């Protein structure tokens, strides 16, 4: 079935290329959209949710890019499959947890996903490898325009796009850039960066959103304000801030290599050694070591593996991915063994 | 010079074979002897120490095994060379530290060493791989008998061999068996064993004697009583006690594999991974990891290296050995780097 195709492929945005791929994993843009003539989901009854879902399902069969979409109803998915989609960054945790007539349409290369009946009727997401704000915007804007021809959006000339939660009203655009900042973490400069970002109204989360901060030294930076600015202004602000953080991280990488070359290389190589030999390992420990290895590749300390392979390992060693690969449910202690085995097979 | 030959060879007792080599590194027998007609060293003046040293030197040129001996005067040795001989278990720490007309005669395969002007005029040592009490005794007794034809020993019909310290009087025989007991350490059974040994008057020390306890899970077990028993009685007591400890360690190895297979294998393989990848490592950490790897080889968890190689690494990663190999003095932080490099070159 459709899920199998996803299990066996690697998301396009994980390929480890794209601008500034040494630091930026991905650029993600999300538009919240609601359909004119339907009640917001916070007030919707089951009957109305069903109507919305089938309305969207029908319309998506007609959009120009319809033949590239895999349409999945959440009710058809096991808990592991749902978690798998979360780990793949294709749906939100909320979308995985709740039932009630939700769906997701995923474009075959996983660049585009459209959640149906999440917080809003529609959540469009485009995710690209590396730092690609302009291309990302071009892509999601095109998708949005094509969809608007088939689906009438709830739009107010005064407020812009209307959304279930007022914090999204206006452009309803959220840009999230995923940065890998191991040098700033090692140099204990990261709090300084995060505080500065929060002062200028950027939100910072971890690899899997809220509460996963610092896992693998990944930081997801997003705009918080969607109202009172045009899409281009939001993009411009992001375009101004991110390169500063990139520069700061790169400077610290150089500084660490200069000042404490041997100690840093030692930490990197030990992480590599542990991942290549451990017989059992948790997800948290894995991410910690992978982060150092990723840094090692970018600093040319590790030469016999690739960014692509390490980016993939971050995702494929997550619990649901491991269980999908093993084709069965695994208790946490067995997952730790399967994880160690998987990593060894892919690093040796 | 003579030291270079030693640097480039591997001591015969390190070869990792011999009876019970999975647990017993070496069996060492030591006889203290003093020469009739010379004052004990505690009362000796420089002049007398010189006389003793040249007397022994001359006599050793005549013994049947003289052509196998390398005779080294301590005054000719650098601090590193002295420490090297200690690490090689050929001389004592005391012998390395003090000056004053000391010497050592080393048999080419390092099975035999004779310290001159240590605490006694002569200290004969035979060291064999594995558990070899009978062969060890046969060997040292032969050497002792041959030497007695050229060197008149201080002997009292009432007390036996006379020694500088009363604790050695009698047989003046000390047997030291070096055991590797990682499973008992992991299972926290080791204190039980050590307490039992001390109750029956056996002394326990570490890899390099006093104060190095538990380094690498090595325990050197020796008889404390030399008086009022024949050599054969001392050997028999040792012959009764050691196999009990061997059995205890083997049982715990099996038990650990049964009970907690994955966790133990994980620790072993992580130790292996760290040693194969670290860029800098202390001697203490090295011994800790080598101990687990040695256990791993004996438990058939690690198959691509040998006991001989690991036994050698315990010695060759010690500070003086590293500096001899590098052919220069190294500060501790540079030794840690040289050590990591040496280990990698020999494990990969």
């Amino acid at each position: 079935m459709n899920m199998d195709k996803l299990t066996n492929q690697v998301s396009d945005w994980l390929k480890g290329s794209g601008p500034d791929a040494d630091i930026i994993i991905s650029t993600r843009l999300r538009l919240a959209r609601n359909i004119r003539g339907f009640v917001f989901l916070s007030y919707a009854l089951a009957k109305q949710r069903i109507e919305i879902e089938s309305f969207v399902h029908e319309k998506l069969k007609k959009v120009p890019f319809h033949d590239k979409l895999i349409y999945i109803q959440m009710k058809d998915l096991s808990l592991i499959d749902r978690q798998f989609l979360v780990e793949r960054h294709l749906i939100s945790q909320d979308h995985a947890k709740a039932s009630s007539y939700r769906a997701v349409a995923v474009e075959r290369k996983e660049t585009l996903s459209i959640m149906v009946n999440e917080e809003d009727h529609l959540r469009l997401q485009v995710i690209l490898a590396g730092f690609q704000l302009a291309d990302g915007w071009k892509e999601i804007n095109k998708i949005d325009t094509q969809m608007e021809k088939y689906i009438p959006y709830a739009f107010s000339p005064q407020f812009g796009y209307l959304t279930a939660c007022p914090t999204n009203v206006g452009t309803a655009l959220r840009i999230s850039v995923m940065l890998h900042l191991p040098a700033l973490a090692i140099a204990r400069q990261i709090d300084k960066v995060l505080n500065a970002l929060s002062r200028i109204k950027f939100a910072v989360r971890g690899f899997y959103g809220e509460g996963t901060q610092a896992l693998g030294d990944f930081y997801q930076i997003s705009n918080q304000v969607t109202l009172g600015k045009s899409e281009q202004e939001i993009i411009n602000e992001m375009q101004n801030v991110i390169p500063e953080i990139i520069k700061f991280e790169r400077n610290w990488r150089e500084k660490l290599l200069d000042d404490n070359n041997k100690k840093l290389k030692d930490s990197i190589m030990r992480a590599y050694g542990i991942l290549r030999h451990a017989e059992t390992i948790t997800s948290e420990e894995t991410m910690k070591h992978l982060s150092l290895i990723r840094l090692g590749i970018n600093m040319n300390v590790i030469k016999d593996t690739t960014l692509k392979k390490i980016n993939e390992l971050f995702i494929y060693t997550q619990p649901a991915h491991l269980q999908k690969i093993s084709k069965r449910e695994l208790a946490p202690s067995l997952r730790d063994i399967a994880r160690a085995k998987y990593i060894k097979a892919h690093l040796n």
Side-chain angles (χ1 to χ4, degrees), chain A:
Chain A
M1 96 94 152
N2 288 335
M3 285 298 293
D4 290 333
K5 195 187 164 298
L6 294 182
T7 313
N8 298 325
Q9 77 176 12
V10 176
S11 325
D12 213 48
W13 60 271
L14 270 176
K15 62 190 173 190
S17 62
D20 304 309
D22 56 332
I23 292 172
I24 312 283
I25 307 286
S26 62
T27 304
R28 191 154 60 109
L29 299 96
R30 186 268 285 153
L31 293 173
R33 296 290 183 252
N34 288 278
I35 308 167
R36 205 187 315 142
F38 288 97
V39 68
F40 279 137
L41 290 170
S42 32
Y43 298 98
L45 305 171
K47 187 173 162 286
Q48 294 165 309
R49 296 183 75 98
I50 296 173
E51 280 171 13
I52 294 164
E53 196 270 325
S54 43
F55 179 84
V56 173
H57 195 173
E58 285 314 307
K59 296 299 180 189
L60 285 180
K61 288 176 184 162
K62 293 174 185 157
V63 295
F65 51 90
H66 70 92
D67 56 337
K68 290 184 197 147
L69 292 180
I70 301 168
Y71 192 87
I72 300 164
Q73 285 177 312
M74 294 322 253
K75 67 174 169 57
D76 294 336
L77 297 189
S78 67
L79 282 177
I80 290 180
D81 280 341
R82 291 171 187 219
Q83 197 51 38
F84 173 87
L85 293 176
V86 173
E87 292 173 2
R88 211 63 168 247
H89 292 269
L90 292 170
I91 66 171
S92 64
Q93 278 287 6
D94 278 349
H95 209 52
K97 277 179 195 155
S99 44
S100 59
Y101 319 105
R102 291 166 180 247
V104 65
V106 178
E107 182 265 340
R108 291 186 193 286
K109 289 194 161 178
E110 300 178 36
T111 297
L112 167 70
S113 80
I114 302 164
M115 283 188 283
V116 185
N117 283 347
E118 208 251 18
E119 184 179 288
D120 294 291
H121 298 159
L122 291 165
R123 287 267 170 118
L124 285 59
Q125 168 189 287
V126 160
I127 183 165
L128 300 177
F131 192 39
Q132 298 203 59
L133 276 176
D135 285 354
W137 172 245
K138 210 171 116 187
E139 181 68 18
I140 202 165
N141 194 32
K142 191 180 89 186
I143 300 290
D144 186 46
T145 307
Q146 290 177 335
M147 284 180 63
E148 205 165 7
K149 288 184 185 142
Y150 299 86
I151 300 173
Y153 288 156
F155 183 84
S156 141
Q158 188 187 351
F159 298 114
Y161 290 99
L162 300 176
T163 55
C165 176
T167 58
N168 290 317
V169 165
T171 58
L173 170 64
R174 175 141 297 138
I175 302 175
S176 298
V177 179
M178 178 89 76
L179 297 96
H180 185 227
L181 304 174
L184 293 180
I186 292 168
R188 295 173 196 280
Q189 297 292 313
I190 196 75
D191 285 343
K192 198 192 285 183
V193 176
L194 303 188
N195 290 337
L197 284 169
S198 117
R199 273 198 301 277
I200 55 172
K201 302 279 180 230
F202 283 89
V204 182
R205 295 187 187 80
F207 197 59
Y208 284 111
E210 219 78 64
T212 62
Q213 207 111 313
L215 258 189
D217 302 314
F218 288 109
Y219 297 88
Q220 220 180 136
I221 296 175
S222 320
N223 62 309
Q224 281 190 311
V225 180
T226 57
L227 185 66
K229 293 176 179 174
S230 71
E231 286 86 351
Q232 199 53 55
E233 281 171 317
I234 294 171
I235 291 165
N236 289 348
E237 282 175 7
M238 203 54 109
Q239 190 70 59
N240 289 334
V241 165
I242 301 295
E244 290 300 312
I245 307 175
I246 294 176
K247 208 162 75 185
F248 200 39
E249 167 74 15
R250 285 212 187 109
N251 285 346
W252 269 102
R253 289 183 184 183
E254 273 174 42
K255 200 167 151 49
L256 287 178
L257 258 195
D258 286 350
D259 292 359
N260 216 341
N261 189 317
K262 209 66 197 180
K263 191 162 174 289
L264 181 62
K265 279 192 184 172
D266 183 52
S267 311
I268 291 169
M269 292 311 294
R270 281 167 180 251
Y272 203 26
I274 288 172
L275 286 187
R276 288 172 99 169
H277 287 81
E279 294 277 312
T280 170
I281 192 161
T282 63
S283 177
E284 288 69 26
E285 191 188 348
T286 300
M287 290 190 77
K288 195 181 81 182
H289 296 322
L290 284 176
S291 173
L292 278 167
I293 293 173
R294 202 177 183 282
L295 178 65
I297 295 171
N298 286 320
M299 286 171 126
N300 223 13
V301 171
I302 292 180
K303 290 163 192 150
D304 55 358
T305 188
T306 60
L307 263 198
K308 178 169 182 291
K309 198 174 254 182
I310 301 303
N311 283 356
E312 282 174 42
L313 279 176
F314 275 110
I315 305 284
Y316 280 75
T317 56
Q318 297 296 330
H321 270 74
L322 280 176
Q323 293 176 87
K324 288 287 285 178
I325 294 162
S326 309
K327 295 184 198 302
R328 60 196 180 104
E329 265 191 73
L330 295 171
S333 67
L334 290 177
R335 287 208 293 268
D336 292 347
I337 294 171
R339 180 177 294 111
K341 206 168 153 189
Y342 185 84
I343 295 169
K344 268 192 285 197
H346 286 79
L347 277 188
N348 283 342

